[in-house]
mmCIF file of all heavy atoms in Angstrom:
data_model
loop_
_atom_site.group_PDB
_atom_site.id
_atom_site.type_symbol
_atom_site.label_atom_id
_atom_site.label_comp_id
_atom_site.label_asym_id
_atom_site.label_seq_id
_atom_site.Cartn_x
_atom_site.Cartn_y
_atom_site.Cartn_z
ATOM 1 N N MET B 26 2.952 -3.312 -8.245
ATOM 2 C CA MET B 26 1.812 -2.653 -8.830
ATOM 3 C C MET B 26 0.624 -3.599 -8.959
ATOM 4 O O MET B 26 -0.505 -3.152 -8.837
ATOM 5 C CB MET B 26 2.185 -2.081 -10.204
ATOM 6 C CG MET B 26 3.054 -0.828 -10.133
ATOM 7 S SD MET B 26 2.396 0.497 -9.113
ATOM 8 C CE MET B 26 0.929 0.959 -9.974
ATOM 9 N N GLN B 27 0.910 -4.873 -9.191
ATOM 10 C CA GLN B 27 -0.199 -5.814 -9.306
ATOM 11 C C GLN B 27 -0.970 -5.894 -7.989
ATOM 12 O O GLN B 27 -2.197 -5.881 -7.982
ATOM 13 C CB GLN B 27 0.305 -7.200 -9.684
ATOM 14 C CG GLN B 27 -0.808 -8.213 -9.770
ATOM 15 C CD GLN B 27 -0.298 -9.630 -9.938
ATOM 16 O OE1 GLN B 27 0.890 -9.884 -9.851
ATOM 17 N NE2 GLN B 27 -1.213 -10.547 -10.178
ATOM 18 N N ARG B 28 -0.238 -5.958 -6.882
ATOM 19 C CA ARG B 28 -0.906 -6.027 -5.584
ATOM 20 C C ARG B 28 -1.691 -4.740 -5.317
ATOM 21 O O ARG B 28 -2.800 -4.774 -4.812
ATOM 22 C CB ARG B 28 0.116 -6.266 -4.478
ATOM 23 C CG ARG B 28 -0.534 -6.371 -3.115
ATOM 24 C CD ARG B 28 0.438 -6.797 -2.060
ATOM 25 N NE ARG B 28 0.768 -8.199 -2.275
ATOM 26 C CZ ARG B 28 1.992 -8.701 -2.210
ATOM 27 N NH1 ARG B 28 3.000 -7.941 -1.901
ATOM 28 N NH2 ARG B 28 2.199 -9.973 -2.422
ATOM 29 N N TYR B 29 -1.098 -3.596 -5.669
ATOM 30 C CA TYR B 29 -1.780 -2.307 -5.480
ATOM 31 C C TYR B 29 -3.086 -2.281 -6.266
ATOM 32 O O TYR B 29 -4.135 -1.953 -5.738
ATOM 33 C CB TYR B 29 -0.877 -1.156 -5.921
ATOM 34 C CG TYR B 29 -1.550 0.193 -5.825
ATOM 35 C CD1 TYR B 29 -1.486 0.927 -4.660
ATOM 36 C CD2 TYR B 29 -2.274 0.720 -6.883
ATOM 37 C CE1 TYR B 29 -2.108 2.156 -4.551
ATOM 38 C CE2 TYR B 29 -2.895 1.944 -6.786
ATOM 39 C CZ TYR B 29 -2.810 2.653 -5.625
ATOM 40 O OH TYR B 29 -3.439 3.856 -5.515
ATOM 41 N N LYS B 30 -3.005 -2.644 -7.542
ATOM 42 C CA LYS B 30 -4.187 -2.593 -8.397
ATOM 43 C C LYS B 30 -5.254 -3.590 -7.954
ATOM 44 O O LYS B 30 -6.440 -3.334 -8.075
ATOM 45 C CB LYS B 30 -3.800 -2.850 -9.848
ATOM 46 C CG LYS B 30 -3.064 -1.684 -10.475
ATOM 47 C CD LYS B 30 -2.740 -1.970 -11.923
ATOM 48 C CE LYS B 30 -2.069 -0.779 -12.570
ATOM 49 N NZ LYS B 30 -1.787 -1.033 -13.990
ATOM 50 N N THR B 31 -4.833 -4.738 -7.438
ATOM 51 C CA THR B 31 -5.783 -5.749 -6.988
ATOM 52 C C THR B 31 -6.520 -5.292 -5.734
ATOM 53 O O THR B 31 -7.742 -5.436 -5.634
ATOM 54 C CB THR B 31 -5.055 -7.069 -6.699
ATOM 55 O OG1 THR B 31 -4.383 -7.486 -7.879
ATOM 56 C CG2 THR B 31 -6.032 -8.138 -6.267
ATOM 57 N N ILE B 32 -5.778 -4.726 -4.776
ATOM 58 C CA ILE B 32 -6.377 -4.368 -3.491
ATOM 59 C C ILE B 32 -7.025 -2.985 -3.521
ATOM 60 O O ILE B 32 -8.165 -2.818 -3.088
ATOM 61 C CB ILE B 32 -5.317 -4.443 -2.375
ATOM 62 C CG1 ILE B 32 -4.873 -5.894 -2.206
ATOM 63 C CG2 ILE B 32 -5.857 -3.900 -1.058
ATOM 64 C CD1 ILE B 32 -3.732 -6.087 -1.248
ATOM 65 N N ILE B 33 -6.319 -1.995 -4.040
ATOM 66 C CA ILE B 33 -6.791 -0.606 -4.003
ATOM 67 C C ILE B 33 -7.667 -0.275 -5.204
ATOM 68 O O ILE B 33 -8.701 0.351 -5.076
ATOM 69 C CB ILE B 33 -5.600 0.380 -3.927
ATOM 70 C CG1 ILE B 33 -4.675 0.040 -2.764
ATOM 71 C CG2 ILE B 33 -6.095 1.806 -3.833
ATOM 72 C CD1 ILE B 33 -5.285 0.131 -1.392
ATOM 73 N N GLY B 34 -7.250 -0.680 -6.386
ATOM 74 C CA GLY B 34 -8.006 -0.392 -7.591
ATOM 75 C C GLY B 34 -7.083 0.006 -8.724
ATOM 76 O O GLY B 34 -5.933 0.389 -8.498
ATOM 77 N N PRO B 35 -7.577 -0.050 -9.955
ATOM 78 C CA PRO B 35 -6.709 0.191 -11.112
ATOM 79 C C PRO B 35 -6.402 1.663 -11.397
ATOM 80 O O PRO B 35 -5.543 1.952 -12.213
ATOM 81 C CB PRO B 35 -7.494 -0.418 -12.270
ATOM 82 C CG PRO B 35 -8.911 -0.307 -11.844
ATOM 83 C CD PRO B 35 -8.903 -0.485 -10.344
ATOM 84 N N LYS B 36 -7.099 2.589 -10.749
ATOM 85 C CA LYS B 36 -6.834 4.002 -11.040
ATOM 86 C C LYS B 36 -6.975 4.846 -9.776
ATOM 87 O O LYS B 36 -7.553 4.399 -8.781
ATOM 88 C CB LYS B 36 -7.776 4.512 -12.119
ATOM 89 C CG LYS B 36 -9.245 4.418 -11.758
ATOM 90 C CD LYS B 36 -10.130 4.874 -12.903
ATOM 91 C CE LYS B 36 -11.587 4.691 -12.544
ATOM 92 N NZ LYS B 36 -12.454 5.138 -13.627
ATOM 93 N N LEU B 37 -6.436 6.047 -9.849
ATOM 94 C CA LEU B 37 -6.550 6.983 -8.731
ATOM 95 C C LEU B 37 -7.939 7.618 -8.738
ATOM 96 O O LEU B 37 -8.533 7.824 -9.799
ATOM 97 C CB LEU B 37 -5.470 8.063 -8.841
ATOM 98 C CG LEU B 37 -4.033 7.563 -8.758
ATOM 99 C CD1 LEU B 37 -3.071 8.708 -9.017
ATOM 100 C CD2 LEU B 37 -3.756 6.942 -7.411
ATOM 101 N N HIS B 38 -8.425 7.965 -7.582
ATOM 102 C CA HIS B 38 -9.762 8.526 -7.481
ATOM 103 C C HIS B 38 -9.755 10.048 -7.405
ATOM 104 O O HIS B 38 -10.749 10.686 -7.734
ATOM 105 C CB HIS B 38 -10.482 7.948 -6.258
ATOM 106 C CG HIS B 38 -10.618 6.455 -6.320
ATOM 107 N ND1 HIS B 38 -11.528 5.818 -7.122
ATOM 108 C CD2 HIS B 38 -9.929 5.470 -5.707
ATOM 109 C CE1 HIS B 38 -11.409 4.511 -6.999
ATOM 110 N NE2 HIS B 38 -10.428 4.272 -6.135
ATOM 111 N N SER B 39 -8.637 10.608 -6.984
ATOM 112 C CA SER B 39 -8.529 12.058 -6.851
ATOM 113 C C SER B 39 -8.242 12.698 -8.207
ATOM 114 O O SER B 39 -7.613 12.103 -9.070
ATOM 115 C CB SER B 39 -7.403 12.423 -5.885
ATOM 116 O OG SER B 39 -7.633 11.853 -4.633
ATOM 117 N N ARG B 40 -8.671 13.940 -8.367
ATOM 118 C CA ARG B 40 -8.444 14.649 -9.614
ATOM 119 C C ARG B 40 -7.203 15.530 -9.562
ATOM 120 O O ARG B 40 -6.485 15.631 -10.546
ATOM 121 C CB ARG B 40 -9.648 15.517 -9.963
ATOM 122 C CG ARG B 40 -10.860 14.713 -10.353
ATOM 123 C CD ARG B 40 -11.960 15.616 -10.802
ATOM 124 N NE ARG B 40 -13.119 14.823 -11.204
ATOM 125 C CZ ARG B 40 -14.083 15.287 -11.955
ATOM 126 N NH1 ARG B 40 -14.058 16.520 -12.392
ATOM 127 N NH2 ARG B 40 -15.098 14.522 -12.273
ATOM 128 N N GLU B 41 -6.973 16.184 -8.448
ATOM 129 C CA GLU B 41 -5.839 17.089 -8.341
ATOM 130 C C GLU B 41 -4.567 16.323 -8.004
ATOM 131 O O GLU B 41 -4.592 15.346 -7.255
ATOM 132 C CB GLU B 41 -6.111 18.141 -7.276
ATOM 133 C CG GLU B 41 -7.268 19.056 -7.640
ATOM 134 C CD GLU B 41 -7.476 20.153 -6.629
ATOM 135 O OE1 GLU B 41 -6.531 20.470 -5.879
ATOM 136 O OE2 GLU B 41 -8.586 20.691 -6.585
ATOM 137 N N PHE B 42 -3.439 16.800 -8.567
ATOM 138 C CA PHE B 42 -2.166 16.102 -8.404
ATOM 139 C C PHE B 42 -1.757 16.010 -6.942
ATOM 140 O O PHE B 42 -1.279 14.969 -6.496
ATOM 141 C CB PHE B 42 -1.080 16.807 -9.218
ATOM 142 C CG PHE B 42 0.239 16.110 -9.160
ATOM 143 C CD1 PHE B 42 0.409 14.870 -9.771
ATOM 144 C CD2 PHE B 42 1.312 16.678 -8.508
ATOM 145 C CE1 PHE B 42 1.627 14.222 -9.726
ATOM 146 C CE2 PHE B 42 2.530 16.033 -8.460
ATOM 147 C CZ PHE B 42 2.685 14.800 -9.067
ATOM 148 N N LYS B 43 -1.941 17.070 -6.192
ATOM 149 C CA LYS B 43 -1.575 17.059 -4.762
ATOM 150 C C LYS B 43 -2.361 15.981 -4.017
ATOM 151 O O LYS B 43 -1.813 15.266 -3.181
ATOM 152 C CB LYS B 43 -1.859 18.442 -4.172
ATOM 153 C CG LYS B 43 -1.325 18.658 -2.814
ATOM 154 C CD LYS B 43 0.077 19.168 -2.902
ATOM 155 C CE LYS B 43 0.516 19.639 -1.541
ATOM 156 N NZ LYS B 43 1.949 19.719 -1.456
ATOM 157 N N ASN B 44 -3.633 15.866 -4.320
ATOM 158 C CA ASN B 44 -4.465 14.839 -3.685
ATOM 159 C C ASN B 44 -4.081 13.437 -4.146
ATOM 160 O O ASN B 44 -4.146 12.483 -3.375
ATOM 161 C CB ASN B 44 -5.938 15.102 -3.973
ATOM 162 C CG ASN B 44 -6.425 16.377 -3.330
ATOM 163 O OD1 ASN B 44 -5.836 16.874 -2.385
ATOM 164 N ND2 ASN B 44 -7.500 16.928 -3.870
ATOM 165 N N GLN B 45 -3.660 13.294 -5.404
ATOM 166 C CA GLN B 45 -3.218 12.006 -5.910
ATOM 167 C C GLN B 45 -1.956 11.549 -5.189
ATOM 168 O O GLN B 45 -1.811 10.365 -4.884
ATOM 169 C CB GLN B 45 -2.957 12.076 -7.409
ATOM 170 C CG GLN B 45 -4.210 12.182 -8.243
ATOM 171 C CD GLN B 45 -3.918 12.333 -9.717
ATOM 172 O OE1 GLN B 45 -2.781 12.537 -10.118
ATOM 173 N NE2 GLN B 45 -4.960 12.243 -10.529
ATOM 174 N N GLN B 46 -1.070 12.497 -4.914
ATOM 175 C CA GLN B 46 0.144 12.163 -4.175
ATOM 176 C C GLN B 46 -0.205 11.639 -2.786
ATOM 177 O O GLN B 46 0.344 10.625 -2.337
ATOM 178 C CB GLN B 46 1.048 13.383 -4.046
ATOM 179 C CG GLN B 46 1.700 13.792 -5.344
ATOM 180 C CD GLN B 46 2.505 15.064 -5.187
ATOM 181 O OE1 GLN B 46 2.145 15.948 -4.417
ATOM 182 N NE2 GLN B 46 3.599 15.147 -5.922
ATOM 183 N N GLN B 47 -1.113 12.302 -2.112
ATOM 184 C CA GLN B 47 -1.516 11.869 -0.773
ATOM 185 C C GLN B 47 -2.216 10.520 -0.821
ATOM 186 O O GLN B 47 -2.020 9.676 0.052
ATOM 187 C CB GLN B 47 -2.429 12.928 -0.132
ATOM 188 C CG GLN B 47 -2.719 12.683 1.314
ATOM 189 C CD GLN B 47 -1.463 12.747 2.163
ATOM 190 O OE1 GLN B 47 -0.547 13.486 1.875
ATOM 191 N NE2 GLN B 47 -1.425 11.953 3.207
ATOM 192 N N GLU B 48 -3.011 10.301 -1.857
ATOM 193 C CA GLU B 48 -3.698 9.020 -2.021
ATOM 194 C C GLU B 48 -2.685 7.877 -2.179
ATOM 195 O O GLU B 48 -2.860 6.793 -1.609
ATOM 196 C CB GLU B 48 -4.602 9.089 -3.255
ATOM 197 C CG GLU B 48 -5.449 7.875 -3.485
ATOM 198 C CD GLU B 48 -6.366 8.007 -4.683
ATOM 199 O OE1 GLU B 48 -6.606 9.144 -5.147
ATOM 200 O OE2 GLU B 48 -6.842 6.960 -5.170
ATOM 201 N N MET B 49 -1.614 8.114 -2.936
ATOM 202 C CA MET B 49 -0.588 7.097 -3.121
ATOM 203 C C MET B 49 0.161 6.806 -1.821
ATOM 204 O O MET B 49 0.479 5.658 -1.527
ATOM 205 C CB MET B 49 0.408 7.522 -4.205
ATOM 206 C CG MET B 49 -0.151 7.453 -5.606
ATOM 207 S SD MET B 49 -0.626 5.789 -6.101
ATOM 208 C CE MET B 49 0.948 4.962 -6.084
ATOM 209 N N VAL B 50 0.426 7.848 -1.025
ATOM 210 C CA VAL B 50 1.111 7.660 0.257
ATOM 211 C C VAL B 50 0.245 6.805 1.184
ATOM 212 O O VAL B 50 0.729 5.866 1.821
ATOM 213 C CB VAL B 50 1.439 9.022 0.906
ATOM 214 C CG1 VAL B 50 1.890 8.850 2.338
ATOM 215 C CG2 VAL B 50 2.502 9.740 0.101
ATOM 216 N N LEU B 51 -1.036 7.104 1.244
ATOM 217 C CA LEU B 51 -1.946 6.326 2.090
ATOM 218 C C LEU B 51 -2.061 4.880 1.613
ATOM 219 O O LEU B 51 -2.041 3.950 2.417
ATOM 220 C CB LEU B 51 -3.328 6.979 2.115
ATOM 221 C CG LEU B 51 -3.424 8.292 2.873
ATOM 222 C CD1 LEU B 51 -4.783 8.932 2.650
ATOM 223 C CD2 LEU B 51 -3.169 8.074 4.342
ATOM 224 N N ALA B 52 -2.156 4.698 0.301
ATOM 225 C CA ALA B 52 -2.278 3.352 -0.244
ATOM 226 C C ALA B 52 -1.020 2.538 0.039
ATOM 227 O O ALA B 52 -1.099 1.359 0.394
ATOM 228 C CB ALA B 52 -2.551 3.418 -1.745
ATOM 229 N N ALA B 53 0.140 3.164 -0.082
ATOM 230 C CA ALA B 53 1.393 2.462 0.195
ATOM 231 C C ALA B 53 1.479 2.058 1.660
ATOM 232 O O ALA B 53 1.923 0.950 1.984
ATOM 233 C CB ALA B 53 2.578 3.336 -0.185
ATOM 234 N N SER B 54 1.030 2.933 2.551
ATOM 235 C CA SER B 54 1.068 2.582 3.978
ATOM 236 C C SER B 54 0.086 1.458 4.292
ATOM 237 O O SER B 54 0.381 0.592 5.125
ATOM 238 C CB SER B 54 0.789 3.806 4.850
ATOM 239 O OG SER B 54 -0.526 4.263 4.681
ATOM 240 N N ILE B 55 -1.041 1.441 3.624
ATOM 241 C CA ILE B 55 -2.001 0.350 3.809
ATOM 242 C C ILE B 55 -1.404 -0.965 3.340
ATOM 243 O O ILE B 55 -1.483 -1.990 4.038
ATOM 244 C CB ILE B 55 -3.316 0.647 3.050
ATOM 245 C CG1 ILE B 55 -4.073 1.783 3.728
ATOM 246 C CG2 ILE B 55 -4.186 -0.596 2.949
ATOM 247 C CD1 ILE B 55 -5.232 2.306 2.922
ATOM 248 N N LEU B 56 -0.769 -0.971 2.169
ATOM 249 C CA LEU B 56 -0.155 -2.201 1.657
ATOM 250 C C LEU B 56 0.980 -2.667 2.563
ATOM 251 O O LEU B 56 1.142 -3.874 2.788
ATOM 252 C CB LEU B 56 0.360 -1.986 0.242
ATOM 253 C CG LEU B 56 -0.709 -1.833 -0.840
ATOM 254 C CD1 LEU B 56 -0.057 -1.558 -2.184
ATOM 255 C CD2 LEU B 56 -1.576 -3.065 -0.915
ATOM 256 N N ASN B 57 1.769 -1.739 3.089
ATOM 257 C CA ASN B 57 2.841 -2.114 4.007
ATOM 258 C C ASN B 57 2.281 -2.741 5.274
ATOM 259 O O ASN B 57 2.835 -3.713 5.796
ATOM 260 C CB ASN B 57 3.695 -0.895 4.361
ATOM 261 C CG ASN B 57 4.573 -0.461 3.210
ATOM 262 O OD1 ASN B 57 4.882 -1.249 2.334
ATOM 263 N ND2 ASN B 57 4.963 0.789 3.212
ATOM 264 N N ARG B 58 1.182 -2.215 5.767
ATOM 265 C CA ARG B 58 0.559 -2.781 6.968
ATOM 266 C C ARG B 58 0.015 -4.181 6.690
ATOM 267 O O ARG B 58 0.167 -5.090 7.501
ATOM 268 C CB ARG B 58 -0.555 -1.867 7.455
ATOM 269 C CG ARG B 58 -1.093 -2.293 8.803
ATOM 270 C CD ARG B 58 -1.967 -1.262 9.394
ATOM 271 N NE ARG B 58 -1.140 -0.102 9.720
ATOM 272 C CZ ARG B 58 -1.589 0.961 10.353
ATOM 273 N NH1 ARG B 58 -2.836 1.017 10.726
ATOM 274 N NH2 ARG B 58 -0.806 1.972 10.615
ATOM 275 N N PHE B 59 -0.609 -4.375 5.530
ATOM 276 C CA PHE B 59 -1.089 -5.703 5.152
ATOM 277 C C PHE B 59 0.073 -6.690 5.087
ATOM 278 O O PHE B 59 -0.043 -7.832 5.526
ATOM 279 C CB PHE B 59 -1.782 -5.670 3.796
ATOM 280 C CG PHE B 59 -3.167 -5.095 3.810
ATOM 281 C CD1 PHE B 59 -3.808 -4.797 2.621
ATOM 282 C CD2 PHE B 59 -3.849 -4.842 4.990
ATOM 283 C CE1 PHE B 59 -5.090 -4.275 2.606
ATOM 284 C CE2 PHE B 59 -5.126 -4.316 4.997
ATOM 285 C CZ PHE B 59 -5.741 -4.032 3.794
ATOM 286 N N THR B 60 1.205 -6.257 4.541
ATOM 287 C CA THR B 60 2.375 -7.116 4.433
ATOM 288 C C THR B 60 2.888 -7.499 5.811
ATOM 289 O O THR B 60 3.257 -8.649 6.054
ATOM 290 C CB THR B 60 3.478 -6.416 3.627
ATOM 291 O OG1 THR B 60 2.965 -6.076 2.342
ATOM 292 C CG2 THR B 60 4.685 -7.303 3.446
ATOM 293 N N GLN B 61 2.917 -6.547 6.733
ATOM 294 C CA GLN B 61 3.385 -6.829 8.088
ATOM 295 C C GLN B 61 2.482 -7.824 8.794
ATOM 296 O O GLN B 61 2.964 -8.672 9.550
ATOM 297 C CB GLN B 61 3.485 -5.547 8.902
ATOM 298 C CG GLN B 61 4.620 -4.651 8.486
ATOM 299 C CD GLN B 61 4.626 -3.334 9.238
ATOM 300 O OE1 GLN B 61 3.686 -3.024 9.967
ATOM 301 N NE2 GLN B 61 5.666 -2.562 9.038
ATOM 302 N N PHE B 62 1.190 -7.751 8.580
ATOM 303 C CA PHE B 62 0.271 -8.688 9.211
ATOM 304 C C PHE B 62 0.517 -10.111 8.731
ATOM 305 O O PHE B 62 0.364 -11.066 9.483
ATOM 306 C CB PHE B 62 -1.177 -8.315 8.926
ATOM 307 C CG PHE B 62 -1.678 -7.124 9.687
ATOM 308 C CD1 PHE B 62 -2.605 -6.265 9.134
ATOM 309 C CD2 PHE B 62 -1.228 -6.856 10.968
ATOM 310 C CE1 PHE B 62 -3.077 -5.171 9.827
ATOM 311 C CE2 PHE B 62 -1.686 -5.765 11.672
ATOM 312 C CZ PHE B 62 -2.617 -4.921 11.099
ATOM 313 N N GLY B 63 0.902 -10.273 7.466
ATOM 314 C CA GLY B 63 1.080 -11.597 6.890
ATOM 315 C C GLY B 63 2.453 -12.200 7.095
ATOM 316 O O GLY B 63 2.656 -13.371 6.807
ATOM 317 N N MET B 64 3.413 -11.410 7.586
ATOM 318 C CA MET B 64 4.776 -11.925 7.742
ATOM 319 C C MET B 64 4.898 -12.767 9.011
ATOM 320 O O MET B 64 4.394 -12.384 10.060
ATOM 321 C CB MET B 64 5.779 -10.788 7.807
ATOM 322 C CG MET B 64 6.035 -10.129 6.502
ATOM 323 S SD MET B 64 7.432 -9.032 6.641
ATOM 324 C CE MET B 64 8.046 -9.116 4.999
ATOM 325 N N PRO B 65 5.576 -13.896 8.906
ATOM 326 C CA PRO B 65 5.766 -14.742 10.092
ATOM 327 C C PRO B 65 6.846 -14.151 11.004
ATOM 328 O O PRO B 65 7.697 -13.393 10.557
ATOM 329 C CB PRO B 65 6.217 -16.072 9.513
ATOM 330 C CG PRO B 65 6.883 -15.706 8.232
ATOM 331 C CD PRO B 65 6.139 -14.517 7.714
ATOM 332 N N GLU B 66 6.785 -14.524 12.266
ATOM 333 C CA GLU B 66 7.839 -14.146 13.210
ATOM 334 C C GLU B 66 9.080 -14.953 12.878
ATOM 335 O O GLU B 66 9.031 -16.184 12.835
ATOM 336 C CB GLU B 66 7.396 -14.452 14.651
ATOM 337 C CG GLU B 66 6.223 -13.647 15.124
ATOM 338 C CD GLU B 66 6.627 -12.223 15.484
ATOM 339 O OE1 GLU B 66 7.783 -12.003 15.891
ATOM 340 O OE2 GLU B 66 5.764 -11.333 15.357
ATOM 341 N N SER B 67 10.190 -14.294 12.613
ATOM 342 C CA SER B 67 11.413 -15.017 12.264
ATOM 343 C C SER B 67 12.436 -14.865 13.365
ATOM 344 O O SER B 67 12.489 -13.851 14.054
ATOM 345 C CB SER B 67 11.973 -14.512 10.938
ATOM 346 O OG SER B 67 12.282 -13.138 11.050
ATOM 347 N N TYR B 68 13.215 -15.919 13.557
ATOM 348 C CA TYR B 68 14.254 -15.895 14.573
ATOM 349 C C TYR B 68 15.388 -16.792 14.114
ATOM 350 O O TYR B 68 15.205 -17.699 13.289
ATOM 351 C CB TYR B 68 13.708 -16.366 15.931
ATOM 352 C CG TYR B 68 12.978 -17.677 15.881
ATOM 353 C CD1 TYR B 68 13.664 -18.870 16.097
ATOM 354 C CD2 TYR B 68 11.619 -17.732 15.602
ATOM 355 C CE1 TYR B 68 12.997 -20.078 16.053
ATOM 356 C CE2 TYR B 68 10.949 -18.947 15.528
ATOM 357 C CZ TYR B 68 11.648 -20.104 15.754
ATOM 358 O OH TYR B 68 11.011 -21.308 15.690
ATOM 359 N N ARG B 69 16.569 -16.532 14.630
ATOM 360 C CA ARG B 69 17.758 -17.268 14.241
ATOM 361 C C ARG B 69 17.840 -18.608 14.979
ATOM 362 O O ARG B 69 17.639 -18.661 16.188
ATOM 363 C CB ARG B 69 18.986 -16.441 14.528
ATOM 364 C CG ARG B 69 20.262 -17.053 14.045
ATOM 365 C CD ARG B 69 21.418 -16.136 14.281
ATOM 366 N NE ARG B 69 22.625 -16.790 13.840
ATOM 367 C CZ ARG B 69 23.772 -16.203 13.717
ATOM 368 N NH1 ARG B 69 23.880 -14.935 14.030
ATOM 369 N NH2 ARG B 69 24.826 -16.863 13.301
ATOM 370 N N VAL B 70 18.120 -19.664 14.233
ATOM 371 C CA VAL B 70 18.288 -20.984 14.819
ATOM 372 C C VAL B 70 19.779 -21.318 14.761
ATOM 373 O O VAL B 70 20.380 -21.301 13.699
ATOM 374 C CB VAL B 70 17.481 -22.049 14.062
ATOM 375 C CG1 VAL B 70 17.710 -23.415 14.664
ATOM 376 C CG2 VAL B 70 16.017 -21.670 14.057
ATOM 377 N N ALA B 71 20.353 -21.592 15.928
ATOM 378 C CA ALA B 71 21.804 -21.841 15.960
ATOM 379 C C ALA B 71 22.143 -23.291 15.744
ATOM 380 O O ALA B 71 21.591 -24.240 15.942
ATOM 381 C CB ALA B 71 22.384 -21.375 17.279
#
């Protein structure tokens, strides 16, 4: 939640519950994409 509030904002912008749900889905996908960009390529070392 700290990362969400820092990047997206401390509150939802939509008024209707259905729109708030969609806003959360979009925000979560944005945060997941940001996380993927920052992750290093990992591989097994034998």
Side-chain angles (χ1 to χ4, degrees):
M26 286 307 295
Q27 178 189 8
R28 181 172 289 136
Y29 177 89
K30 287 182 177 182
T31 302
I32 294 174
I33 306 297
K36 60 183 177 179
L37 297 174
H38 300 284
S39 301
R40 291 185 179 199
E41 295 184 21
F42 183 69
K43 190 88 169 161
N44 294 339
Q45 288 177 350
Q46 289 176 326
Q47 189 63 32
E48 184 178 342
M49 287 298 296
V50 169
L51 289 172
S54 66
I55 290 170
L56 289 177
N57 287 337
R58 189 168 293 185
F59 284 169
T60 302
Q61 289 175 352
F62 286 147
M64 286 190 150
E66 295 283 331
S67 61
Y68 51 91
R69 186 176 178 169
V70 178

